[in-house]
Amino acid sequence: MEEAERVELTVDAVAPGGHCVARVDGQVVFVRHALPGERVVAEVTELHRGFARADAVEIVEAAPERVTPPCPYARPGGCGGCDLQHVAPAAQLDWKTAVVREQLTRLGGLTDAEIDALRVTVEPLPGGPLGWRSRVRYAVDAAGRAGLLKHRSHEVVPIDRCLIAHPAIQQLPVLGRPWPTADSVEAVASTGGDVVVTALADGVPTRVDLPGLPAAAVDAPGGPVAAEAGLPGRPTAQVDRPVGSAAVEVDGSAAVREVAAGRDWTLPAGSFWQVHPAAADTLVDAVLDLLAPQPGESAWDLYGGAGLFAAALAGRVGPDARVTMVESAAEGVAAARRNLADLARVEVVAARVETALARRRVTGPVDLVVLDPPRTGAGAAVVGDMIAASPRAIAYVACDPAAFARDVRTFTRAGWRLAVLRGFDLFPMTQHVELIGLFLPPSR
């Protein structure tokens, strides 16, 4: 095969990364824009030792789960943000479930019987597959046009609308206007009704002027306000406009209000928060359901971010119980200390999790652990230190099935078992899936 060559092939099983597997003369080909069982004409996009990548550019025999992508940019050579717009929504859940099963088998070392016993499924979130993304970063090309990146490329695809973006973001006059000095433009629509736009050049926020910014499509009372940054020392352009269409950020971090776990959260607009409006509460509810915290139990919240799980745990274990949160990012630590200031028994530790555990900055025993590590997973050292603290249960929130599966193997080798596994479709139309696993020690 050669790059740009077109070959007709039969598509096999799904694979991580939004691809399906096919073979041509014994060589593995990872094919995007295809479905298992289809006969397609695929154009080779990359050649590597042992495998190739390709896009399905013509469908010879379509699978029954195939649909017309709602977005005109979700096509070969188009935007790379959505991997599965050609797949019916229910079939997307099956696709992601199949990927999770494959990773648990190949990397996690679980048998088919063990996986069957878990009854793994991926659950949809409310709101449907479009209009959910509350944080969007648009790239800007050399001509100053805002858009999104091609798959595995730095090439910008100019667009006029992103259909998975929150309606408030879709209404913003960001696309279709020039950005001559910006490298990227970020838009945030919070669950508290704030909308903030930030233009960045060389990573530095710069002033933007969006006259006539429309009211955001969020539930918020109307009326003219001067939107405020809410953080000291962070000047923000103030523009009279309806509530819910908040200020343009200029030199620092405008604050947005998020609502989750029965609390209000004030955060810098550019800080980490779940991008699906229903995600934070969905994850909190699942973690509490799996751990069933009891009054007086101690708990750790590792990789705690702004303290979402720490707050939820504190509400269950009571005012006399100790909850310790560990976070390394300075912005997350500051947000947690600000937002959890009313919870006297919650300690926020500013450190890398592996360092805090290895150097005994955080010490056991502890009753409960929640961890929400980055895409690389927790790793063997962190898993070992958690186990050494003798918790009665560990809830593992994972955004990457492969990293999660590798940690599953580490747990099982130590005698622990994956007792429950739930999947959530926090990122419809994309390949990504969120998992929450409950690990129990040998005695339980």
Side-chain angles (χ1 to χ4, degrees):
M1 287 188 294
E2 297 180 354
E3 195 166 314
E5 180 182 353
R6 293 192 172 192
V7 293
E8 187 170 324
L9 48 79
T10 299
V11 181
D12 200 353
V14 302
H19 308 86
C20 292
V21 179
R23 285 173 173 80
V24 176
D25 297 329
Q27 182 167 355
V28 172
V29 183
F30 294 107
V31 186
R32 279 172 57 85
H33 307 286
L35 277 156
E38 290 188 326
R39 187 76 180 169
V40 306
V41 175
E43 181 174 307
V44 178
T45 57
E46 297 179 28
L47 288 172
H48 301 268
R49 180 175 295 181
F51 71 95
R53 298 182 185 275
D55 287 339
V57 295
E58 179 184 339
I59 311 303
V60 180
E61 298 176 11
E65 298 85 6
R66 175 171 288 277
V67 297
T68 300
C71 175
Y73 305 105
R75 53 176 171 77
C79 172
C82 290
D83 313 282
L84 304 180
Q85 287 211 12
H86 64 290
V87 185
Q92 291 184 30
L93 304 179
D94 294 337
W95 177 303
K96 296 179 185 188
T97 300
V99 169
V100 172
R101 289 184 61 98
E102 189 271 341
Q103 299 289 269
L104 289 174
T105 300
R106 185 168 61 87
L107 300 177
L110 300 186
T111 66
D112 287 343
E114 289 172 325
I115 298 172
D116 289 342
L118 291 170
R119 298 181 180 178
V120 180
T121 60
V122 175
E123 305 171 34
L125 268 62
L130 299 176
W132 55 268
R133 191 172 185 91
S134 64
R135 283 159 168 76
V136 178
R137 173 177 283 197
Y138 298 103
V140 178
D141 68 9
R145 299 173 300 179
L148 297 169
L149 298 178
K150 285 187 177 182
H151 179 63
R152 293 176 59 84
S153 171
H154 294 293
E155 183 178 347
V156 178
V157 179
I159 63 173
D160 59 15
R161 175 168 293 193
C162 174
L163 293 182
I164 66 169
H166 190 286
I169 294 176
Q170 293 189 42
Q171 290 187 21
L172 294 171
V174 171
L175 302 170
R177 57 148 288 169
W179 297 91
T181 62
D183 300 318
S184 63
V185 180
E186 294 182 351
V188 175
S190 77
T191 51
D194 299 319
V195 178
V196 173
V197 178
T198 308
L200 296 100
D202 296 323
V204 179
T206 57
R207 178 185 290 272
V208 296
D209 182 19
L210 295 180
L213 187 65
V218 293
D219 293 329
V225 298
E228 298 177 357
L231 295 177
R234 302 294 193 180
T236 296
Q238 297 186 352
V239 183
D240 287 346
R241 59 175 67 103
V243 171
S245 61
V248 175
E249 201 276 346
V250 290
D251 186 18
S253 296
V256 296
R257 184 174 67 94
E258 300 287 356
V259 181
R263 300 172 64 90
D264 284 1
W265 304 78
T266 302
L267 307 164
S271 64
F272 174 79
W273 190 260
Q274 292 291 342
V275 297
H276 194 296
D281 277 332
T282 296
L283 297 178
V284 164
D285 290 346
V287 164
L288 294 179
D289 180 60
L290 292 177
L291 290 180
Q294 300 300 308
E297 289 189 312
S298 59
W300 292 350
D301 176 11
L302 307 182
Y303 313 93
L308 177 68
F309 295 117
L313 289 166
R316 289 293 185 91
V317 300
D320 298 326
R322 176 174 55 89
V323 176
T324 304
M325 193 203 94
V326 182
E327 172 57 46
S328 61
E331 194 171 65
V333 171
R337 287 175 173 164
R338 182 171 58 250
N339 287 284
L340 305 183
D342 62 311
L343 300 174
R345 292 288 288 167
V346 175
E347 180 187 10
V348 178
V349 176
R352 294 174 59 87
V353 168
E354 54 268 40
T355 302
L357 295 177
R359 296 184 180 178
R360 299 184 63 77
R361 176 65 182 82
V362 177
T363 59
V366 68
D367 296 306
L368 304 171
V369 177
V370 179
L371 71 155
D372 186 4
R375 193 166 296 279
T376 51
V382 170
V383 171
D385 286 338
M386 288 190 299
I387 289 174
S390 303
R392 70 164 176 84
I394 296 174
Y396 187 137
V397 182
C399 60
D400 183 76
F404 176 78
R406 287 190 288 268
D407 288 336
V408 168
R409 185 183 289 270
T410 303
F411 273 106
T412 56
R413 284 176 173 172
W416 283 55
R417 66 185 177 93
L418 178 58
V420 180
L421 180 60
R422 297 180 65 181
F424 297 96
D425 194 19
L426 268 56
F427 315 96
M429 298 292 189
T430 79
Q431 53 138 332
H432 300 291
V433 61
E434 197 87 358
L435 302 174
I436 302 182
L438 175 67
F439 290 91
L440 298 178
S443 59
R444 295 182 64 87

